Amino acid sequence: MSVAATAATVVTVLAAAMSGFSGYSLLSRAPWVVEAMTEYRVPQGWWTRLGAAKAAGAAGLLLGLFVPVIGAVAAVALALYFTGAVITVIRARSYAHIPFPLLYAAPVIGALVLTA
């Protein structure tokens, strides 16, 4: 395995782990996530679907290690998700929280770039 392929795999697994953790945290209603989602005024009825979307994206990234087109679609979807998260944080005027969705988006974008 080349260095580039190894880097792509490591970044993809990291992106999947982070996105999966984020999805799990929302699905399990971790107190720190509930507090933030409430602060951002995200309707509670959306939380399960949003958590499931992140979990599905994480699974898609891992599946993309074997079926690259699925990984690319998952990475694009997660990048769009986290872009929406940044917009949501800005709309809620929680400017100090902007780095958090960017932190989750970074390895997703990195995985997309490295596997392209």
Side-chain angles (χ1 to χ4, degrees):
M1 184 179 268
S2 71
V3 173
T6 301
T9 300
V10 168
V11 172
T12 298
V13 170
L14 174 65
M18 289 177 67
S19 296
F21 169 76
S22 183
Y24 172 78
S25 297
L26 184 51
L27 290 170
S28 67
R29 305 295 193 261
W32 58 275
V33 175
V34 168
E35 180 181 329
M37 296 296 270
T38 303
E39 180 180 335
Y40 307 153
R41 296 182 297 278
V42 176
Q44 190 171 358
W46 295 9
W47 296 0
T48 298
R49 286 176 272 182
L50 292 172
K54 289 190 270 190
L61 289 173
L62 293 176
L63 187 55
L65 294 172
F66 306 100
V67 184
V69 70
I70 293 174
V73 170
V76 168
L78 283 168
L80 290 171
Y81 178 96
F82 290 121
T83 299
V86 169
I87 292 167
T88 299
V89 171
I90 291 170
R91 288 185 67 188
R93 294 191 165 103
S94 295
Y95 303 116
H97 294 187
I98 293 171
F100 297 115
L102 293 175
L103 180 69
Y104 285 96
V108 169
I109 294 166
L112 182 60
V113 169
L114 290 171
T115 58

